Amino acid sequence: MKREDQFTDCQASRQMIAKASRDGTVTMFDQIRERKVCKFGADGSCCRICYMGPCHVREGGPGADTGVCGATPATITARNFGRMIAAGTAAHSDHAREIVLTFLKILDGEATGYTIRDPAKLRELADVLGISSNGDTKELARKVAESLLAEFGKQEGELIFPSRAPAKRLEIWRRLGVVPRGIDREVVEMLHRTSVGVDQDFEHLMLQGMRVALADGWGGSMIATELQDVLFGTPYPLRGKVNLGVLREDHVNIVVHGHEPLLPMVIVDMARDEELLSRTRSVGAKGINIAGICCTANELLLRKGIPVAGSVLQQELAIVTGAVDLMMVDVQCAMQGLANVAACYHTELVTTSSRARIRGVTHVEFHPEHAEETARELILRAINNYSRRGIVEIPREEMDMVAGFSHESIRYMLGGRFRTGYGPLNENIINGRIRGIAAMVGCSNPRVRDGYLHTTVVRELIANNVLVLTSGCAAISCAKEGLLVPEASELAGSGLREVCEAVGMPPVLHCGSCVDNSRLLVVATEMVRQGGLGDDLANLPLVGCAPEWMSEKAIAIGQYFVSSGATVGFGVRFPTLGSEEFSSFLFEGISALTGGKWFFEPDPMAMARRLIEYIDAARRALGIEQARERVLFDMEMRRQIATG
Amino acid sequence: MSRIIATAAIRGAHSIIRRAEEKLKSAMEILGATHPVELPNTGYYLPVIYGITGRKVTRLSEIGPVLALAKELLPPLPAEARWTPYLGPMLDAGMATLFAEEIIEALRYVTGPSPVEGIWLGAADDVILRERGIEFVDGRAPGFAAVVGSAPDVPTAVKLAREMQQKSLYVFMAGRADGTSFAEQLAGADVQLGWPTRLVPFGEEVCAHIYSLGFATRVALSFGGVTPGDYRRVLSYNKTRVFAFLLALGPVTDEWYANAAGAINFGFPVVADTDIPEILPYGICTYEHVVARVPHDRIVARAVEVRGLKVPVADVEVPVAFGPAFEGEIIRRNETFVEIGAGRSTAFELLVTRPMGEVEDGHVQVIGPDLDDLKEGDTLPLGLVIEVAGRKMKEEFEPVIERRLHYFVNYLEGVVHIGQRDIVRIRVSKKAFAAGLRLQHIGAVVANRVKAEFGSLVDKVRVTLYTTPEGALAEQEKARAVYRRRDERLDALTDEAVDVFYTCSLCQSFAPSHICIITPERLGLCGAVNWLDARASCELKQTGPNQPVAIGTCIDETRGQYSGVNAAMQRYTQGKITSLSLYSMMEDPMTSCGCFEAIGAVLPEANGIFIVNREYTGDTPLGMRFSTLAGMVGGGEQIPGFMGLARAYVISRRFIQADDGLARVVWMPRQLKEFLREGLIRRGAEIGVPDLIDRIADETVGTSVDEILPFLKETQHPALSMEPIM
């Protein structure tokens, strides 16, 4: 096996890893090889929250079995885990805050580069928030934005979105005392409780872990998703392209990378500006090509059909093509190593967020008030850089996909305008054509073979009639392997295939970026509401997984799924294995509280099998494990049908 | 696969919408924008458009916006590869198709060619809707089949039609295949077409199936109390309560697919005899959506199964078909083999209770000649005597079961039964005779059905048919004594004479929010269930639609308020209705389903009320037609001043006694007056206004307050001098 083949299943990436090697460029794939994994760090049992340590602890083995302060491995792993949840929640929620603040600036007339693209969604959102929707759009928008902004700083009471959950789920949360009070408060409280000498009962601490995570899924992430839909349009299925082959040799290539769509959306619009296009032609390029990396890519793909150059693991490789004239990054998952890689080629790397700079990298700060000017400036920089290109080698690989599955578009595709709803999904789960639903989310991780785990799990799931909803870099991995086209239903089991063909959908539905995992909560809630699959999220034959996770955000997402009643499997390695006591709480004990739990499984086939087992268990509990007899209705039975 | 269907359906939708646009354009050019457009005699405008969008189309100019909506719904064709989901878009294209077709058909009424031509009947008006709709409500019709195209040959067509009739299904027909249509095939084989035989030829083109969906939509609006424009409820009502399906016979065209996509919105699946792609997963329909390649000998059974319908089929062994669909059959004189009664011979029927030991179960005997001994055009006396025995049988149930004889005999193909008691009249057709049908069979059918339908009351049945003049005459004398005794007992059967009333939720399959209270002097507002029927039904099935209501203590005698009735209403409406006045339409009146025979409504200017029956299609003094009023009254709400009612209740002693009773009635259509004539005269005399019937205005006097007030003044109608009604 060639060196580059160990890192990834992606042919384009292999080609670029090899090229980087030849070019003498150091990428994450070189770094990972050098990296010795610290067992204590990896397993969560290294405590460095005070300076009496650091303390490396392990249960029952050689070495200390508690920290200097007496903290047990369970406490230490729980604290580390809790801080990961807090950090992930902070990331999603700070993204959301930026959207809300920008939204208010738009309403104040300070940010002129934006308009509200989806007033219908605004009205629905207002309904959810209990805001009367009789006023004009702008007034309504203001009320909505103010109400959402207040969610961050609230000190008491409950966040609003958790009340969307099925009544039974909300009751469970209330009984556990884990309904978030305010997004920022929960993050702060977690940091406090995990600092030295505070909350040292791992079960008690994990109640806060649940509360923080819920403040992400049913708080920050949901705010980001919903308001971005209002602002930029709710995604509906469209065709897109993915992989490095979307870069174009004869175009000015601008790669947008990161997470917040605020500036990239304006860039996309601005790239059609005639003056800029004529400048482009004057430097000898045929046009401006925008391509995305990571979740910015997903945001633009779902709403504009903008091509995706790659996942988080391809950020450096895109530059290695020599064809990227400018790469702009904002927040999250933009690796500092980009600076060195960019320095090896002509690519101009630009940071744009006031919150994130990379030392030595050009910073063009984005403020919504000047979005269009900034966009113009960045595009001009890219155009001006075009002529500085050296040797260009763009891999040929590009793959089609169909993406854009929001709650709104799923309910539409299943019934059109007049029979909108989840009926066909639930019915075909009940009758067994669809065995269940698996959410596959999360990152790509150079510590495992890129794409191999994702696609192996997905292929096995769909072959067993499990419909997969995916997001983030997991979605990009699957897309590159051609799993996001409707024709992929040929790989599905006969039942799922029949449903995919009836609806015209792929067996793997791309739902968006990582904040968009909140969509999956809404979808699950709507499935419960549709009926026939129990009255709680925990009753659904629905599981989650993140086989190639790496970001703290993935842990926050996993925990809000578990707190919402789902069983969630993570691959790579699990950051609490340093304590069997705490791990067994996450893997078993927690299910007595939430109905959901974690599991760790690095082998993709084994992970798929376990996910299917959990789905089957849920089916058994619902009494739908076996095909039902067709019910034929006589008049008597019709009289019994509830008023509807 | 489904993409092929979606593609064809969307293509078909495009072409149908183009046709509608062209037709509208030329109609506008010829007639102008303000020209009226309507389907005959309906209060539901263009019913699919009205039901789904809430838009009332009355003029050509109002069609444009509907077509614009249809075009907005129209998706592009799915891509050949890498397509985006097409199920939702296909359903939208289907709905757009239905809007366009309804426009095309409505425009045909305006510009021609008329949809009513030859065998083709065109739109079903509201009278038909209510008359036939009731059968859907009470279960006599379990659903309908919308047949598109034609069978491969005439015998197959006849066989399929007979099979559907036997299953009591309505068969709606439109569209041709291979140069002919199912309806034309049946007509060619002398099969009786029309609403009475449930074989309804709507039109030659597939477009005419919009009348099937217009019928379905109106069932939801009128019986289901769904608000026009509440498309979710219109469609879910149809999915769960109107058991219809499409039968596609012959090569399926794009336009057929487009219609299928429209029907699937309603939850109506498609079953085809050709090799087309299938859509098997469930969801929009209860089970499969499109099932193909079904052989003709299995296609009806398969369709019924796919729709999720259980059809009770009587297991009677007779040489002709049997089922409710034959109730409306007509046998003309020249088709008649024998006619019994009708002044030509003694004829009567009687059902009586005997002690258990005296009835030999299942014994059917013709005493005298059977049909073999007759020649064409002869007559024959007939005394049809049914003796029953059963531990739970009561004498008071005799007339309840006896009334069903009409149906049992009439359900035979080739036999017509009219009237009751000693004014009964029976015709047997030549065809039925030729097929081997004899009086013995009629007796056997009666015995079979009495046991089948009243099994928990009747343990034994014996049927005797007296066919000699002397025998029939002698038995008739005995029967007349029984009729007299019954009538006397019925007269004595008053509300104060009983201590239990009954609920009726028979129509809850269609009108889920309404519940009737039935008393001896106030029958169900559909006119089909009286107190004795309810009592018998309750005996038949403890958990059935008729539950006893202990009257309890009297709260207000005039208004008819009883503690037990209020408690029952509270229980059966889940607390929605807590107080009910049995004899008032002004205070806590009875709610209404959609099946009422007539509507009473206050006319404040005349200080009285008017009553309009559902057969009357003109305007009423409130400026609204029956259908519009029906939309206001139905839906299980108490609406003071408006009430659905049975015609016979008008001449009950208890008729709105709290609101001064019958003397309040200032207007009713002439045909209702005639229907109630005898009772109106009798009740008028009882309340001291013997000529009340002549003081009640009708449409010949006028259909507005201004027209009828002078008449009421002139005739000194008693309502004018009463206390104000409001």
Side-chain angles (χ1 to χ4, degrees):
Chain A
M1 187 183 269
K2 283 191 206 153
R3 173 181 159 275
E4 57 270 22
D5 294 358
Q6 304 158 24
F7 295 124
T8 176
D9 275 3
C10 167
Q11 201 53 47
S13 297
R14 288 175 177 177
Q15 184 183 339
M16 287 304 104
I17 293 169
K19 177 170 188 288
S21 246
R22 289 199 306 276
D23 296 346
T25 307
V26 175
T27 68
M28 66 179 91
F29 299 98
D30 302 298
Q31 300 280 5
I32 196 88
R33 221 161 35 130
E34 303 299 319
R35 210 61 37 199
K36 287 275 189 300
V37 172
C38 163
K39 189 174 162 20
F40 294 99
D43 293 344
S45 52
C46 168
C47 183
R48 33 178 309 284
I49 61 170
C50 82
Y51 217 62
M52 294 189 285
C55 295
H56 289 175
V57 296
R58 74 172 78 245
E59 271 165 6
D65 56 3
T66 69
V68 172
C69 67
T72 60
T75 298
I76 289 168
T77 48
R79 283 196 298 221
N80 287 333
F81 196 70
R83 286 195 161 197
M84 292 178 92
I85 298 172
T89 300
H92 288 145
S93 302
D94 210 39
H95 168 167
R97 188 196 327 271
E98 199 65 16
I99 304 297
V100 182
L101 291 172
T102 303
F103 197 79
L104 281 165
K105 282 182 182 155
I106 296 164
L107 298 174
D108 288 339
E110 291 170 19
T112 54
Y114 304 91
T115 51
I116 293 174
R117 294 275 168 90
D118 198 340
K121 173 112 187 195
L122 174 68
R123 284 189 293 275
E124 276 197 47
L125 185 55
D127 281 347
V128 171
L129 296 170
I131 295 168
S132 109
S133 44
N134 296 329
D136 72 335
T137 303
K138 207 168 160 191
E139 198 42 49
L140 187 68
R142 178 174 303 282
K143 284 187 189 166
V144 164
E146 283 169 355
S147 156
L148 292 178
L149 187 62
E151 296 288 87
F152 294 94
K154 263 192 338 207
Q155 301 301 323
E156 290 300 336
E158 293 181 345
L159 293 186
I160 303 169
F161 282 147
S163 65
R164 291 175 103 168
K168 196 163 169 194
R169 180 54 27 184
L170 188 57
E171 193 191 307
I172 290 169
W173 290 337
R174 283 183 176 151
R175 207 173 54 233
L176 292 172
V178 300
V179 182
R181 296 155 295 188
I183 297 167
D184 293 351
R185 177 171 181 182
E186 303 311 348
V187 174
V188 168
E189 186 171 316
M190 180 53 106
L191 292 178
H192 173 202
R193 282 167 68 167
T194 52
S195 64
V196 60
V198 189
D199 197 353
Q200 289 153 108
D201 173 339
F202 66 88
E203 277 199 47
H204 186 245
L205 187 59
M206 268 314 288
L207 288 174
Q208 180 61 13
M210 289 181 209
R211 185 150 59 175
V212 184
L214 292 174
D216 181 354
W218 298 87
S221 282
M222 201 171 274
I223 291 172
T225 297
E226 301 289 53
L227 211 52
Q228 284 175 179
D229 282 354
V230 172
L231 195 49
F232 299 121
T234 302
Y236 275 81
L238 45 69
R239 289 194 270 181
K241 288 193 181 295
V242 63
N243 215 342
L244 294 171
V246 306
L247 297 172
R248 296 168 82 171
E249 185 152 8
D250 52 5
H251 277 58
V252 171
N253 288 307
I254 298 175
V255 170
V256 289
H257 172 25
H259 283 77
E260 295 173 357
L262 291 168
L263 178 59
M265 281 288 179
V266 182
I267 294 263
V268 169
D269 289 339
M270 189 60 73
R272 283 190 227 114
D273 181 86
E274 200 37 57
E275 190 206 323
L276 289 172
L277 286 171
S278 106
R279 286 284 286 271
T280 305
R281 286 187 290 272
S282 71
V283 299
K286 287 190 176 154
I288 301 167
N289 180 38
I290 315 279
I293 291 273
C294 203
C295 279
T296 299
N298 289 323
E299 299 278 5
L300 299 192
L301 163 75
L302 259 68
R303 298 192 176 88
K304 299 258 186 187
I306 297 297
V308 177
S311 70
V312 65
L313 292 198
Q314 289 169 291
Q315 52 185 298
E316 296 165 327
L317 305 181
I319 296 175
V320 173
T321 61
V324 175
D325 302 296
L326 182 133
M327 176 183 279
M328 48 183 279
V329 302
D330 53 11
V331 291
Q332 301 168 24
C333 304
M335 298 185 185
Q336 187 165 0
L338 284 174
N340 286 327
V341 177
C344 297
Y345 302 90
H346 85 296
T347 303
E348 175 155 30
L349 181 66
V350 181
T351 54
T352 61
S353 168
S354 64
R355 292 160 295 173
R357 295 196 190 193
I358 296 174
R359 196 147 184 91
V361 165
T362 311
H363 185 71
V364 177
E365 194 156 300
F366 161 71
H367 294 280
E369 296 87 335
H370 311 293
E372 285 168 311
E373 291 151 56
T374 311
R376 183 176 293 274
E377 184 191 336
L378 291 170
I379 294 172
L380 275 173
R381 280 172 177 267
I383 296 169
N384 294 338
N385 202 24
Y386 178 75
S387 52
R388 293 183 55 241
R389 279 190 191 176
I391 295 165
V392 170
E393 179 186 336
I394 301 173
R396 281 208 309 267
E397 282 77 14
E398 59 174 331
M399 178 55 80
D400 293 325
M401 64 171 144
V402 170
F405 296 90
S406 54
H407 152 59
E408 290 81 359
S409 69
I410 291 174
R411 72 181 174 184
Y412 172 76
M413 80 175 175
L414 292 175
R417 189 181 300 186
F418 300 96
R419 292 290 305 277
T420 299
Y422 283 69
L425 181 59
N426 283 27
E427 284 300 324
N428 289 297
I429 290 175
I430 293 166
N431 69 30
R433 280 191 173 84
I434 299 178
R435 195 165 189 160
I437 310 271
M440 191 170 76
V441 307
C443 332
S444 296
N445 187 333
R447 271 170 68 173
V448 295
R449 201 161 102 206
D450 171 30
Y452 169 70
L453 276 65
H454 283 139
T455 55
T456 307
V457 172
V458 163
R459 283 175 201 275
E460 186 63 12
L461 288 174
I462 64 176
N464 283 282
N465 296 311
V466 176
L467 177 66
V468 177
L469 306 187
T470 184
S471 65
C473 287
I476 297 175
S477 268
C478 294
K480 287 197 294 185
E481 291 300 313
L483 293 167
L484 265 52
V485 293
E487 288 89 339
S489 65
E490 287 167 19
L491 305 171
S494 61
L496 176 60
R497 180 177 174 169
E498 273 185 351
V499 179
C500 287
E501 286 181 357
V503 177
M505 67 179 180
V508 185
L509 305 181
H510 188 339
C511 299
S513 64
C514 52
V515 289
D516 287 341
N517 285 317
S518 64
R519 295 192 198 279
L520 308 183
L521 300 175
V522 178
V523 167
T525 299
E526 290 299 321
M527 287 171 67
V528 171
R529 186 164 304 156
Q530 178 70 37
L533 294 173
D535 57 1
D536 179 24
L537 300 173
N539 299 137
L540 295 172
L542 179 145
V543 292
C545 67
E548 302 184 20
W549 76 281
M550 61 92 184
S551 165
E552 290 161 315
K553 292 181 290 177
I555 294 291
I557 295 165
Q559 186 58 50
Y560 72 63
F561 271 94
V562 170
S563 306
S564 302
T567 294
V568 173
F570 268 40
V572 188
R573 189 153 173 160
F574 203 79
T576 68
L577 295 179
S579 165
E580 206 186 308
E581 190 181 13
F582 181 55
S583 295
S584 74
F585 173 70
L586 294 182
F587 296 162
E588 279 313 323
I590 198 169
S591 72
L593 304 179
T594 72
K597 62 184 177 194
W598 291 85
F599 73 87
F600 163 56
E601 179 53 71
D603 176 69
M605 285 303 282
M607 174 179 275
R609 275 196 300 275
R610 289 180 71 174
L611 292 169
I612 292 167
E613 274 167 30
Y614 292 121
I615 284 172
D616 286 349
R619 294 186 65 88
R620 274 195 300 280
L622 286 167
I624 57 169
E625 73 274 32
Q626 270 163 2
R628 286 189 184 176
E629 293 239 336
R630 180 183 302 251
V631 180
L632 301 179
F633 288 80
D634 61 13
M635 286 309 285
E636 193 54 46
M637 291 157 75
R638 286 194 231 176
R639 279 181 203 112
Q640 307 301 326
I641 300 168
T643 305
Chain B
M1 60 193 276
S2 314
R3 189 170 52 86
I4 296 168
I5 296 182
T7 307
I10 293 169
R11 209 162 42 217
H14 279 271
S15 93
I16 291 168
I17 286 174
R18 252 193 321 273
R19 283 222 318 269
E21 280 181 313
E22 284 158 16
K23 202 150 173 75
L24 176 64
K25 188 161 165 275
S26 80
M28 296 272 272
E29 276 165 12
I30 299 164
L31 301 165
T34 56
H35 193 85
V37 53
E38 60 178 1
L39 292 174
N41 180 32
T42 177
Y44 300 99
Y45 308 93
L46 308 191
V48 174
I49 293 168
Y50 184 48
I52 300 296
T53 71
R55 287 169 194 263
K56 300 171 179 176
V57 173
T58 60
R59 300 181 183 288
L60 289 178
S61 59
E62 286 155 351
I63 293 179
V66 178
L67 262 180
L69 173 62
K71 285 173 80 171
E72 184 201 317
L73 286 170
L74 209 51
L77 294 179
E80 290 288 318
R82 311 318 198 208
W83 51 88
T84 51
Y86 40 69
L87 176 62
M90 177 188 82
L91 292 169
D92 283 2
M95 191 58 85
T97 301
L98 301 185
F99 293 168
E101 289 183 333
E102 200 162 47
I103 289 165
I104 292 172
E105 288 292 321
L107 288 175
R108 287 184 63 182
Y109 276 97
V110 178
T111 62
S114 169
V116 186
E117 171 73 53
I119 62 167
W120 306 112
L121 299 178
D125 68 12
D126 284 359
V127 176
I128 291 173
L129 167 76
R130 292 188 178 276
E131 209 175 279
R132 302 294 156 178
I134 296 290
E135 299 178 351
F136 283 80
V137 172
D138 67 19
R140 274 176 287 160
F144 70 77
V147 179
V148 195
S150 59
D153 51 56
V154 171
T156 306
V158 174
K159 207 172 140 283
L160 289 176
R162 287 292 181 242
E163 193 182 346
M164 289 188 273
Q165 281 181 304
Q166 291 236 39
K167 289 191 157 58
S168 310
L169 296 162
Y170 271 84
V171 181
F172 295 158
M173 297 170 277
R176 317 180 91 205
D178 298 324
T180 185
S181 68
F182 194 69
E184 287 163 312
Q185 289 177 316
L186 297 181
D190 272 343
V191 175
Q192 267 183 39
L193 300 182
W195 284 96
T197 57
R198 304 193 175 189
L199 301 173
V200 184
F202 274 138
E204 192 171 352
E205 288 184 58
V206 66
C207 260
H209 262 309
I210 195 60
Y211 300 130
S212 307
L213 292 161
F215 187 88
T217 305
R218 286 184 296 165
V219 169
L221 300 181
S222 89
F223 297 106
V226 179
T227 312
D230 187 350
Y231 57 83
R232 279 177 183 283
R233 286 190 56 217
V234 169
L235 299 174
S236 70
Y237 180 94
N238 271 283
K239 180 186 174 187
T240 52
R241 297 175 193 279
V242 177
F243 280 65
F245 54 86
L246 250 71
L247 213 54
L249 304 177
V252 178
T253 67
D254 287 355
E255 295 201 355
W256 288 22
Y257 277 122
N259 274 274
I264 288 172
N265 270 299
F266 285 73
F268 303 160
V270 181
V271 178
D273 63 351
T274 50
D275 185 9
I276 59 170
E278 297 190 303
I279 306 181
L280 300 179
Y282 306 169
I284 304 298
C285 299
T286 307
Y287 299 116
E288 297 84 353
H289 296 79
V290 179
V291 174
R293 298 179 299 278
V294 186
H296 294 107
D297 57 349
R298 292 202 49 242
I299 200 164
V300 175
R302 181 77 177 122
V304 163
E305 182 188 79
V306 165
R307 183 60 185 95
L309 177 58
K310 190 190 277 177
V311 183
V313 178
D315 55 341
V316 291
E317 285 183 24
V318 286
V320 294
F322 181 86
F326 302 98
E327 183 195 338
E329 204 182 7
I330 298 164
I331 299 174
R332 294 191 179 78
R333 186 161 295 280
N334 61 358
E335 296 161 351
T336 305
F337 177 72
V338 58
E339 185 173 42
I340 295 165
R344 296 181 63 199
S345 66
T346 305
F348 73 94
E349 59 197 20
L350 177 72
L351 184 138
V352 283
T353 316
R354 301 274 185 237
M356 283 290 253
E358 288 181 22
V359 179
E360 185 191 341
D361 187 35
H363 189 265
V364 179
Q365 188 186 10
V366 180
I367 300 182
D370 203 328
L371 303 184
D372 297 300
D373 307 322
L374 303 181
K375 59 182 192 302
E376 195 179 311
D378 276 355
T379 185
L380 187 75
L382 177 66
L384 176 60
V385 178
I386 297 99
E387 294 159 291
V388 300
R391 274 170 297 113
K392 287 170 74 184
M393 182 64 197
K394 296 192 178 85
E395 221 176 294
E396 63 188 41
F397 297 147
E398 288 172 2
V400 172
I401 308 178
E402 191 180 291
R403 223 150 28 99
R404 298 285 298 158
L405 296 178
H406 166 75
Y407 298 98
F408 300 157
V409 176
N410 227 348
Y411 285 1
L412 281 159
E413 183 189 10
V415 181
V416 166
H417 178 285
I418 298 165
Q420 47 172 326
R421 290 189 172 179
D422 54 357
I423 53 166
V424 68
R425 184 169 145 192
I426 294 172
R427 274 183 181 180
V428 177
S429 75
K430 291 182 203 166
K431 268 193 209 165
F433 176 77
L437 187 80
R438 300 295 177 261
L439 293 182
Q440 180 78 25
H441 293 120
I442 294 181
V445 160
V446 168
N448 174 302
R449 295 327 293 162
V450 168
K451 277 280 279 286
E453 291 196 16
F454 297 94
S456 60
L457 295 178
V458 173
D459 297 320
K460 291 178 165 186
V461 193
R462 168 193 163 110
V463 179
T464 313
L465 300 98
Y466 297 92
T467 59
T468 60
E470 317 75 52
L473 208 58
E475 291 299 318
Q476 182 174 255
E477 278 319 300
K478 293 184 209 161
R480 282 179 171 162
V482 177
Y483 302 150
R484 266 194 304 279
R485 215 164 50 234
R486 273 186 202 163
D487 288 344
E488 283 157 16
R489 202 169 50 225
L490 219 52
D491 281 345
L493 189 60
T494 60
D495 286 4
E496 53 270 36
V498 299
D499 51 13
V500 62
F501 297 156
Y502 291 92
T503 64
C504 184
S505 59
L506 187 69
C507 63
Q508 284 209 341
S509 58
F510 277 76
S513 48
H514 166 73
I515 188 106
C516 259
I517 297 288
I518 293 179
T519 78
E521 292 179 87
R522 181 169 188 180
L523 73 169
L525 38 83
C526 61
V529 182
N530 66 27
W531 186 83
L532 276 177
D533 295 322
R535 192 175 174 80
S537 144
C538 181
E539 285 289 329
L540 274 172
K541 196 158 185 227
Q542 306 292 321
T543 58
N546 300 107
Q547 294 296 312
V549 176
I551 294 170
T553 56
C554 177
I555 299 166
D556 184 323
E557 203 178 328
T558 316
R559 283 190 287 131
Q561 282 258 2
Y562 298 93
S563 63
V565 172
N566 286 347
M569 286 307 289
Q570 184 147 5
R571 183 164 74 251
Y572 290 111
T573 63
Q574 279 83 42
K576 193 173 137 199
I577 288 168
T578 53
S579 173
L580 181 78
S581 299
L582 288 167
Y583 314 133
S584 171
M585 62 183 278
M586 299 309 293
E587 206 174 323
D588 302 339
M590 188 99 82
T591 64
S592 302
C593 49
C595 348
F596 35 77
E597 285 191 302
I599 295 170
V602 167
L603 197 60
E605 297 89 337
N607 200 33
I609 69 160
F610 71 86
I611 295 167
V612 56
N613 55 314
R614 68 175 174 227
E615 292 80 10
Y616 175 75
T617 59
D619 276 330
T620 68
L622 264 186
M624 287 183 268
R625 294 179 187 184
F626 181 88
S627 291
T628 315
L629 281 167
M632 294 170 54
V633 175
E637 302 286 336
Q638 285 182 313
I639 307 162
F642 291 91
M643 197 164 68
L645 44 87
R647 291 174 296 182
Y649 176 51
V650 178
I651 49 169
S652 157
R653 286 189 312 134
R654 296 292 191 178
F655 177 65
I656 58 167
Q657 68 177 25
D659 316 319
D660 300 311
L662 182 62
R664 280 284 186 191
V665 178
V666 297
W667 186 93
M668 62 169 74
R670 171 150 287 212
Q671 61 188 134
L672 180 59
K673 246 192 204 177
E674 287 310 314
F675 179 80
L676 294 174
R677 172 168 285 280
E678 210 176 304
L680 287 173
I681 292 169
R682 176 170 47 82
R683 286 287 301 136
E686 280 173 28
I687 62 170
V689 197
D691 61 344
L692 180 67
I693 186 167
D694 300 321
R695 301 197 202 183
I696 298 173
D698 58 31
E699 71 274 22
T700 61
V701 174
T703 54
S704 70
V705 174
D706 293 342
E707 285 166 351
I708 66 171
L709 262 187
F711 172 85
L712 298 176
K713 282 181 186 143
E714 193 188 313
T715 59
Q716 294 181 319
H717 191 287
L720 297 180
S721 51
M722 286 178 179
E723 293 281 303
I725 192 164
M726 292 174 81

